[in-house]
């Protein structure tokens, strides 16, 4: 059996936090599919990357990243729907990830001032406090579940 029985009965956090993880997972799956299936992986048409002489390499990297995004998102959906005791863990990991993406996208290794930022840079800035809020909600005890 690929999926063990659900552990949702053991989750004591806010149910909305688990549903947010499902939404966050879908937010991984969709860009993952874009990176895997758009001809340029979204690197040019969405991220505005100038391919130069390395077009095939950039497109391959985007497809690789899309495959990991798809898998990561699928796992998040499963956690939000069936394995809710893992919700705080996946939110904490997501908070670290989005925090690091924000640091890399805007401070360290950032594009030069005035350069184009891909949508992900803006999304990460927005998601850091939102994920922090849902992490807090997931850790609050909601009482016994029957």
């Amino acid at each position: 059996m690929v999926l063990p029985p659900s552990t949702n009965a053991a989750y004591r956090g806010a149910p909305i936090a688990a549903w947010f993880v499902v939404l966050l997972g879908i937010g991984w799956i969709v860009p993952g599919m874009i990176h895997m299936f758009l001809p340029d992986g979204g690197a040019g048409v969405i991220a505005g990357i100038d391919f130069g002489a390395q077009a095939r390499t950039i497109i391959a990297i985007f497809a690789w990243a899309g495959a990991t995004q798809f898998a990561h998102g699928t796992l998040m959906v499963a956690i939000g729907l069936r394995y809710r005791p893992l919700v705080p863990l996946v939110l904490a990991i997501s908070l670290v990830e989005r925090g690091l993406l924000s640091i890399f996208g805007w401070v360290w290794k950032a594009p030069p001032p005035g350069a184009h930022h891909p949508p992900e840079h803006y999304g990460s800035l927005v998601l850091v406090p939102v994920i922090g809020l849902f992490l807090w909600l997931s850790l609050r005890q909601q009482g016994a579940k029957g």
Side-chain angles (χ1 to χ4, degrees):
M1 176 184 267
V2 174
L3 292 176
S6 175
T7 59
N8 286 354
Y11 179 63
R12 300 290 180 250
I16 195 168
W19 287 108
F20 177 72
V21 168
V22 172
L23 182 63
L24 205 57
I26 292 168
W28 274 91
I29 291 169
V30 171
M33 292 177 74
I34 289 169
H35 293 324
M36 289 187 295
F37 298 117
L38 271 184
D40 74 345
V45 299
I46 297 172
I49 294 173
D50 178 13
F51 291 122
Q54 299 300 321
R56 290 182 59 94
T57 301
I58 293 169
I59 292 168
I61 290 169
F62 268 61
W64 170 80
T68 62
Q69 286 176 305
F70 184 83
H72 185 98
T74 302
L75 181 62
M76 291 177 81
V77 169
I79 288 169
L81 294 177
R82 294 183 51 92
Y83 308 106
R84 291 184 174 177
L86 295 173
V87 163
L89 175 63
V90 78
L91 287 171
I93 291 168
S94 294
L95 184 62
V96 169
E97 176 208 23
R98 290 295 159 169
L100 290 171
L101 286 172
S102 295
I103 291 168
F104 291 140
W106 293 97
V107 181
W108 189 31
K109 300 186 181 191
H116 172 76
H117 282 272
E120 190 68 27
H121 286 182
Y122 297 98
S124 291
L125 285 177
V126 170
L127 280 172
V128 167
V130 174
I131 292 170
L133 170 65
F134 283 100
L135 174 58
W136 176 73
L137 289 171
S138 75
L139 294 170
R140 291 183 54 211
Q141 296 292 311
Q142 298 294 308
K145 305 277 193 248

